[in-house]
Amino acid sequence: MAFIKLNDLEIEVEDGTNIVEAARQNGIEVPHYCYHPGLTRPANCRMCLIETYGTPPGAPPGTIAPDRQLATGCTTTVRTAPPERKYEEKFDAIIRTDSPRVVKAREDILEFLLVHHPLDCPVCDQAGECDLQDFSHRHGRDKSRYVEVKNVPPKKDLGPDVLLYSTRCIVCTRCVRFCQEVSGTGELGLINRGSHDEIDIPRSHEGNPIQVLDNKLAGNVVDICPVGALISKDFLFKSRPWFMDKEDSICTGCSVGCNITVEYKEDGVYRVKPRFHEDINQHWMCDDGRLGYHYVNRDDRLQLPLKKVDDEQTTTQWADAINTIKEKLGEVEAEDIVVIGSAQGTNEDNYVLQQFAHDVLNTTQLGLFGQLPGEEHKYPQFTIESDKNPNTAGARTILGSANGNVVLEGEDLWQKVASAKVVYLVSGVPDRKLQDEEKAALENVEFLIVQDVLPSEITELADVVLPGTTFAEKDGTFTNSTGWVQRIRKTVDPPGEAQVDWQITQQLAKQLGSEINYSFAGEISIAISENVQGYEEATHQNIGDAGVKLA
Amino acid sequence: MVQQKRILYEHLDVPNINTFDVYRQHDGYKRFEKAIAEYQPDDVSKMVMDSGLKGRGGAGFSTGLKWSFVPKDIEPRYLCCNADESEPGTFSNRYVLEKNPHLLIEGILICCYAMGIETTYVYIRGEFTLGKKMLDAALEEAYEQGYLGENIKDSGINVNIYSHPGAGAYICGEETGLIESLEGKRGQPRNKPPFPAVEGVFMKPTVVQNVETLCNLPFIVDKGVEWYTEMGPIYGDARFDPPKPDPNTGTKLYCISGDVNEPGVYELELGLTCSELIEVAGGLRGEEVKAVIPGGSSAPILTHYELDTRLDFTSLTLAKSMLGSGGIIVMNETRNIVDCLLNIMKFYAHESCGQCTPCRWGTPWVRDIVQRIADGEGRQEKITRPKFGIAEGGRWGDTGETEEIYEDLDLLESVANNIANVDTMTWNTICVFGIAVSWPAVSYMRKFRPEFEATIREGKLTTLSVEEATVPPEENYAFQQRIIPKEMSELG
């Protein structure tokens, strides 16, 4: 640990920490644009200038004075110095981020940054979460002295989801470095020179794109753009950032379990952004996950229970649907029932389902259902996994946690389903296509109960359809492929009369005389921690924002 | 009358000196042979250190000291010869490349021997097509004659030299910009530290030296340190007790152009004054000296009051200017300083690489302001600001008084100083290109303020007489703050 004097604070930081981070850890803001903790540091924005102290040449030992040149905070790192090189006999470095020179330098740099920047904040998507706005407000001049003509480079379409408003660009090159270092695809680069620098994709002489920004991580360049230059087409002009509420959650696109922030209003989810997790996704997420939230807002979401009457599905009341199921379950033997949990469902959903199957229906035959495997994509610093479910590992463990439970998957499961009389299938998988053997098996079932969020091939076959909820509408936990248990949180309300999945299962259990009675998801997590091996630490209280890694 | 001291240029005019045979007749490669026969590599390094040779590219950093920073335990190490001579007003390396390329190769060989380097890149300015042709031919001859390649002359030394043309960017003459360009990337300077001596070409230790610096090596090896240090002054750095020697030894290839009767490259001992140099170049063309640019277009300008400044690295730095590449441009009374500044600013605004904020957007801004003034559209409004001058105690500082100044001149000074500050000699940019822009801008404006003011007032380019155009010495910030260094012999 290095012991440094930062302004008037005397603080300890890890060896090798740069000053921007050291200051951030201690509540001091060092404004910066080009520096991003997940990328290399070119120090080209010159915004994070700081004042370092040292002994001037020729001065007697022990003299401490500001160095002649200001240094960039992002590239200045501190290290433990040998005793004879310590300042005032204890400090490894002395740094000021608030000296008059630094304050003036920031003001000067900001003036340069705003020379060609348009004053279009009122129509800019970034307004409200824009570093240029914020730092100008806190560190900038009150008016511009620039009276010459501004550069007006063109607006560009870079790829499927990314637009570039070149006028707003401050050429920090975060996006260029991202495409080189993290995605390794290198679509973006700088063209022209000097004040005519522009970000662009490779183009022919006629200006036609040769390569577009269409790698699966492309959306991240929008997040890391400190100004409104790179804009997501998906979010363009949809909302001002300050009107949206935010909640931390986990991406459901694959089994990586990227940490995300869901931004939403009363009428639905507006966008999803990655959230830092050192061991899982660092600062990034893929576009499949980023744009995968749309099904939550769809108009055709299941809102009321459906019941098949004379081969025709009609809407019905919850009480009627549950009564119908209760009657049917009473008619069959336990071994003719198959209960299938979902890899898209939370650990809590699956735990209650497992309890319902084991304790109420007395069946040990469980199945695991989920999205079909997709493609795996490997990038230099990021991997998108082929398992497109967020909770395969968790659902598998939890469904099989009770004595004697067998969790069937794949062919075994569909063979079993084909011979069953009643199947209770919890799906919640958006746009799941059924394969032939799956369809044949489900068609064979005498009485099929499907709990789902969207109408699909599966709900079409069902005798009773129960409207469930998506990740955005419930609390719970997911276990990712590397054993991290992480929290998802409720953002928007479920549509219509749709209910949280474990509550539906609990209602069924109660109707069948069970005493299962949880009042919130956290309570279930305590039950899981008590009863499921490996999940001892995984209560909501322990998980918090950081997650818990299974032993 | 000062005489030229031709060392590097001694055989420059010998017909066909560019061929191996003629070069060999004039002691060619014998100095390299002497080096490997008589000295250990470390001895050569020590000789260079003791000679006080300073890098001739512009920064004037001690060559021996630079070599001492190169870690000896990391392989491979590289030598990068900077032949990207693009500073306006500078054309000395070009003569070496076009006329006597074998001298450069010999210099490279000695450097490689001293540093244990096997690979050298010569980065040649793209426009030097003839220079590259001549060097390539010389390289081919040197390979044929066994002075390059594997096991040179049975000494066990391997040296390969590759010549690499630039693509016409000024900034690729900056050592790290050059390295980036050489590696095939966009020519943008790197942050320092790490310096190229530690992480240079392909992130390996690299010595980057100017053509002229390398050409000095054969003579240092041949004639010895004592002979070399007799040329040029050795100053004492009075900040240290006892004073630390600050050698400005050897000769310099001064490129003299502008209003002199015989412009050209003159090889002279370091430490001559500006006036002496004008005399060497055939005297002034015109009536009076109005201004002198002492070190390529990026150096702050000198007025006729400052012509007694000695043209060496230390003296010029302490006079708030710089020797830079030694490109000296003389201007007579007919020249308009606003126009000169516009010319220079157009060049720098075009050549800014655009990597870092102050330079990318400050440089064109400065150009636009000067352009507006030169077009006669300078704003007539004046502002009041604190006046700097000779303050209490006879030192330069805030006088406590105020002065009126045209808004555009204040803006010009302020914007330029925000890129790199002439008063504190600091810069907010990644590389020293910021200095090349702002120091001239501020120095021209401050030292020839009456001419700028007249141009704004009249609404058109207005050339004043030398006396009227120049601020008097007592108002000249550089003249007042300059320190005239003392030679070691004077300090005792």
Side-chain angles (χ1 to χ4, degrees):
Chain A
M1 298 289 269
F3 188 55
I4 64 169
K5 187 171 175 185
L6 184 66
N7 298 346
D8 297 323
L9 297 177
E10 298 181 4
I11 54 170
E12 266 198 339
V13 291
E14 294 264 349
D15 273 18
T17 312
N18 66 60
I19 303 301
V20 175
E21 292 296 339
R24 175 151 53 201
Q25 286 162 16
N26 290 281
I28 296 169
E29 177 185 82
V30 177
H32 56 270
Y33 295 109
C34 68
Y35 168 71
H36 187 283
L39 302 171
T40 52
R41 294 169 274 180
N44 64 28
C45 74
R46 315 305 288 172
M47 198 56 211
C48 62
L49 290 170
I50 48 154
E51 193 168 54
T52 52
Y53 283 66
T55 307
T63 318
I64 298 167
D67 289 333
R68 192 167 59 94
Q69 282 275 105
L70 296 177
T72 44
C74 62
T75 53
T76 307
T77 50
V78 285
R79 254 167 233 297
T80 315
E84 70 276 10
R85 301 245 314 260
K86 288 200 192 291
Y87 299 106
E88 294 174 10
E89 287 171 3
K90 53 182 179 174
F91 297 119
D92 297 311
I94 302 179
I95 283 140
R96 286 211 86 88
T97 66
D98 59 354
S99 75
R101 276 210 299 166
V102 173
V103 170
K104 173 155 190 323
R106 283 177 189 165
E107 196 182 287
D108 300 340
I109 302 291
L110 266 170
E111 186 181 30
F112 287 130
L113 284 167
L114 291 168
V115 158
H116 291 291
H117 195 84
L119 286 173
D120 64 349
C121 302
V123 294
C124 176
D125 259 16
Q126 190 86 359
E129 51 182 13
C130 173
D131 285 351
L132 195 57
Q133 245 182 358
D134 293 349
F135 294 148
S136 296
H137 187 69
R138 292 204 276 272
H139 307 287
R141 299 174 68 96
D142 56 348
K143 50 177 166 281
S144 173
R145 300 184 293 174
Y146 189 73
V147 294
E148 328 300 333
V149 180
K150 288 192 181 220
N151 286 352
V152 187
K155 192 159 89 179
K156 292 172 193 163
D157 188 349
L158 299 184
D161 186 42
V162 184
L163 272 181
L164 170 66
Y165 284 73
S166 302
T167 44
R168 297 173 188 158
C169 178
I170 58 167
V171 204
C172 68
T173 68
R174 276 189 192 178
C175 53
V176 176
R177 281 173 282 140
F178 176 86
C179 288
Q180 284 165 355
E181 294 159 18
V182 181
S183 75
T185 46
E187 293 98 340
L188 293 181
L190 280 173
I191 58 164
N192 302 340
R193 189 171 69 187
S195 65
H196 298 287
D197 266 0
E198 279 174 47
I199 304 291
D200 208 349
I201 49 176
R203 287 177 198 274
S204 66
H205 282 297
E206 295 79 35
N208 302 320
I210 293 169
Q211 190 185 9
V212 294
L213 182 62
D214 60 354
N215 71 66
K216 290 219 177 263
L217 302 178
N220 290 300
V221 299
V222 176
D223 297 334
I224 59 176
C225 183
V227 295
L230 291 165
I231 292 292
S232 162
K233 290 181 195 168
D234 183 56
F235 184 66
L236 184 65
F237 301 142
K238 273 212 195 135
S239 173
R240 312 291 346 207
W242 58 86
F243 287 134
M244 297 184 294
D245 289 317
K246 293 177 185 175
E247 200 65 83
D248 292 348
S249 192
I250 300 300
C251 178
T252 58
C254 76
S255 56
V256 171
C258 290
N259 287 222
I260 57 170
T261 305
V262 178
E263 304 195 9
Y264 64 100
K265 290 202 243 182
E266 275 178 11
D267 58 345
V269 175
Y270 273 70
R271 67 173 170 186
V272 166
K273 282 184 134 190
R275 182 163 55 90
F276 178 72
H277 193 295
E278 197 178 350
D279 296 328
I280 298 171
N281 58 319
Q282 291 81 43
H283 305 271
W284 324 115
M285 75 182 294
C286 73
D287 284 8
D288 293 344
R290 184 186 299 271
L291 302 175
Y293 70 88
H294 284 281
Y295 77 96
V296 175
N297 302 343
R298 259 164 64 175
D299 289 338
D300 60 347
R301 280 282 300 275
L302 297 170
Q303 303 194 11
L304 285 167
L306 302 173
K307 186 171 127 182
K308 202 178 256 179
V309 181
D310 303 333
D311 275 356
E312 190 113 337
Q313 283 181 347
T314 50
T315 56
T316 180
Q317 300 294 317
W318 270 107
D320 180 40
I322 285 178
N323 256 331
T324 313
I325 296 167
K326 180 185 167 189
E327 279 167 20
K328 192 70 201 175
L329 288 173
E331 290 170 12
V332 293
E333 299 294 323
E335 54 263 32
D336 292 331
I337 305 173
V338 178
V339 174
I340 305 176
S342 171
Q344 291 272 335
T346 62
N347 288 332
E348 288 74 3
D349 291 339
N350 284 305
Y351 186 76
V352 176
L353 189 72
Q354 166 282 125
Q355 255 189 321
F356 172 63
H358 190 267
D359 302 350
V360 183
L361 302 177
N362 295 319
T363 173
T364 53
Q365 294 159 16
L366 286 94
L368 179 58
F369 185 72
Q371 189 62 272
L372 295 169
E375 271 180 66
E376 186 188 64
H377 294 272
K378 269 193 165 35
Y379 294 100
Q381 292 186 33
F382 197 87
T383 300
I384 305 169
E385 289 184 4
S386 57
D387 177 1
K388 298 298 174 192
N389 298 297
N391 198 27
T392 309
R396 192 179 286 147
T397 313
I398 285 180
L399 288 171
S401 62
N403 264 349
N405 274 8
V406 183
V407 184
L408 300 167
E409 289 176 60
E411 263 178 46
D412 297 345
L413 172 64
W414 301 113
Q415 273 173 15
K416 185 76 205 166
V417 166
S419 63
K421 286 188 178 150
V422 176
V423 170
Y424 177 21
L425 169 62
V426 180
S427 161
V429 186
D431 298 323
R432 170 71 148 87
K433 295 274 179 294
L434 279 182
Q435 288 170 318
D436 292 344
E437 55 156 355
E438 295 172 347
K439 194 163 183 179
L442 287 171
E443 273 169 349
N444 245 350
V445 176
E446 198 178 300
F447 190 78
L448 176 64
I449 309 158
V450 174
Q451 192 166 308
D452 211 338
V453 292
L454 284 166
S456 67
E457 285 181 63
I458 311 165
T459 57
E460 272 169 25
L461 300 172
D463 296 277
V464 175
V465 177
L466 303 172
T469 42
T470 65
F471 73 98
E473 292 142 359
K474 61 187 168 195
D475 286 316
T477 55
F478 285 145
T479 309
N480 81 349
S481 59
T482 50
W484 279 94
V485 188
Q486 307 184 91
R487 279 271 271 139
I488 62 165
R489 291 182 176 81
K490 177 177 182 295
T491 58
V492 290
D493 287 329
E497 291 182 17
Q499 289 190 19
V500 176
D501 295 82
W502 64 262
Q503 287 173 341
I504 300 172
T505 313
Q506 181 167 289
Q507 275 191 51
L508 277 173
K510 279 183 179 170
Q511 283 295 318
L512 293 169
S514 160
E515 285 175 5
I516 301 175
N517 189 14
Y518 298 109
S519 46
F520 59 96
E523 207 180 333
I524 308 171
S525 80
I526 294 169
I528 294 175
S529 72
E530 285 164 359
N531 296 321
V532 182
Q533 207 185 355
Y535 281 71
E536 289 79 7
E537 296 297 315
T539 61
H540 284 198
Q541 204 177 354
N542 286 346
I543 291 167
D545 284 338
V548 163
K549 179 132 185 169
L550 295 179
Chain B
M1 178 77 184
V2 179
Q3 291 300 312
Q4 279 204 68
K5 184 139 192 162
R6 287 194 138 198
I7 296 168
L8 273 61
Y9 273 10
E10 190 183 354
H11 303 301
L12 196 73
D13 299 327
V14 175
N16 296 330
I17 187 78
N18 59 315
T19 59
F20 179 83
D21 294 337
V22 179
Y23 184 68
R24 185 74 181 164
Q25 285 161 21
H26 292 85
D27 293 343
Y29 294 105
K30 286 182 185 149
R31 293 153 294 206
F32 165 65
E33 282 161 4
K34 180 180 176 185
I36 53 175
E38 294 180 18
Y39 302 111
Q40 289 300 310
D42 287 348
D43 299 337
V44 180
S45 298
K46 189 164 184 310
M47 284 169 88
V48 173
M49 178 74 103
D50 293 344
S51 74
L53 175 66
K54 285 190 172 185
R56 299 296 198 241
F61 192 77
S62 163
T63 304
L65 199 57
K66 192 192 273 184
W67 290 9
S68 71
F69 295 152
V70 177
K72 294 284 187 317
D73 51 345
I74 301 176
E75 296 282 347
R77 296 182 294 275
Y78 295 102
L79 168 63
C80 206
C81 171
N82 186 345
D84 191 74
E85 181 180 53
S86 17
E87 180 77 19
T90 314
F91 39 86
S92 57
N93 295 352
R94 180 179 182 171
Y95 280 110
V96 175
L97 290 167
E98 290 178 1
K99 294 194 165 180
N100 196 359
H102 281 290
L103 178 63
L104 174 61
I105 297 173
E106 194 172 0
I108 289 172
L109 283 170
I110 291 170
C111 179
C112 287
Y113 173 65
M115 303 300 297
I117 292 170
E118 300 195 343
T119 309
T120 298
Y121 298 99
V122 183
Y123 189 96
I124 301 188
R125 180 178 176 185
E127 290 86 339
F128 285 0
T129 44
L130 179 61
K132 179 157 189 322
K133 209 172 116 190
M134 297 308 243
L135 178 69
D136 286 346
L139 287 175
E140 206 166 300
E141 277 185 311
Y143 273 109
E144 276 169 21
Q145 299 291 338
Y147 284 96
L148 285 176
E150 304 291 306
N151 193 16
I152 295 167
K153 298 285 162 197
D154 290 331
S155 61
I157 303 164
N158 313 320
V159 176
N160 283 302
I161 303 180
Y162 305 93
S163 70
H164 183 96
Y170 173 80
I171 197 60
C172 291
E174 200 274 351
E175 55 179 0
T176 53
L178 182 150
I179 289 170
E180 288 280 298
S181 171
L182 186 70
E183 289 178 359
K185 302 181 203 150
R186 219 175 136 82
Q188 292 181 329
R190 293 177 185 166
N191 274 290
K192 286 170 265 185
F195 288 90
V198 183
E199 273 184 14
V201 178
F202 308 118
M203 292 297 158
K204 296 291 178 194
T206 303
V207 185
V208 184
Q209 301 283 235
N210 181 263
V211 172
E212 192 183 332
T213 319
L214 291 169
C215 290
N216 270 294
L217 301 179
F219 305 103
I220 294 173
V221 169
D222 187 32
K223 300 187 183 167
V225 171
E226 224 160 89
W227 166 83
Y228 194 81
T229 48
E230 271 167 20
M231 297 182 288
I234 299 175
Y235 297 115
D237 190 341
R239 286 180 301 177
F240 295 89
D241 185 34
K244 198 169 145 189
D246 181 10
N248 283 263
T249 45
T251 60
K252 176 87 187 82
L253 299 171
Y254 291 101
C255 315
I256 310 176
S257 60
D259 296 319
V260 287
N261 285 320
E262 291 165 21
V265 185
Y266 292 86
E267 184 166 7
L268 297 157
E269 276 185 32
L270 277 163
L272 297 181
T273 67
C274 218
S275 326
E276 282 172 318
L277 215 74
I278 295 172
E279 284 310 307
V280 173
L284 181 74
R285 189 177 64 200
E287 301 291 317
E288 281 176 276
V289 178
K290 189 169 191 175
V292 174
I293 298 174
S297 63
S298 55
I301 203 162
L302 300 179
T303 64
H304 69 276
Y305 296 112
E306 293 158 278
L307 294 184
D308 58 342
T309 312
R310 295 177 79 170
L311 295 174
D312 56 52
F313 296 103
T314 306
S315 301
L316 273 168
T317 306
L318 293 176
K320 296 218 160 237
S321 186
M322 61 185 190
L323 182 60
S325 54
I328 287 148
I329 304 171
V330 182
M331 301 178 201
N332 68 14
E333 74 286 351
T334 62
R335 307 294 165 189
N336 184 299
I337 301 296
V338 183
D339 206 24
C340 293
L341 180 60
L342 177 60
N343 187 323
I344 290 172
M345 286 303 120
K346 277 182 175 168
F347 174 79
Y348 286 110
H350 182 252
E351 291 296 345
S352 168
C353 80
Q355 185 183 196
C356 65
T357 306
C359 180
R360 183 196 319 129
W361 284 325
T363 316
W365 190 3
V366 173
R367 177 204 55 201
D368 289 350
I369 296 168
V370 181
Q371 177 83 60
R372 211 178 51 228
I373 294 171
D375 287 350
E377 287 163 17
R379 287 176 288 177
Q380 297 291 332
E381 292 83 14
K382 287 191 170 183
I383 59 160
T384 308
R385 67 173 196 184
K387 182 177 166 68
F388 276 69
I390 304 166
E392 271 176 61
R395 295 191 58 176
W396 189 262
D398 192 344
T399 56
E401 296 165 24
T402 56
E403 62 172 349
E404 285 211 320
I405 184 167
Y406 284 109
E407 197 179 340
D408 275 339
L409 294 185
D410 179 63
L411 184 64
L412 171 64
E413 190 179 342
S414 164
V415 172
N417 263 339
N418 289 351
I419 303 172
N421 196 314
V422 116
D423 296 316
T424 55
M425 293 197 133
T426 58
W427 51 94
N428 284 342
T429 47
I430 290 175
C431 74
V432 289
F433 187 96
I435 294 176
V437 180
S438 68
W439 290 9
V442 175
S443 71
Y444 288 36
M445 197 292 274
R446 285 189 185 165
K447 291 181 177 178
F448 295 92
R449 189 161 143 192
E451 195 149 288
F452 282 81
E453 285 176 339
T455 300
I456 295 177
R457 196 169 53 238
E458 301 293 327
K460 63 177 198 309
L461 269 187
T462 308
T463 310
L464 302 176
S465 73
V466 175
E467 280 304 313
E468 285 172 330
T470 320
V471 300
E474 57 271 22
E475 287 180 27
N476 182 334
Y477 75 104
F479 191 85
Q480 287 303 326
Q481 293 182 84
R482 74 175 179 169
I483 300 162
I484 294 168
K486 288 204 165 63
E487 291 194 29
M488 280 302 267
S489 51
E490 293 174 65
L491 288 165

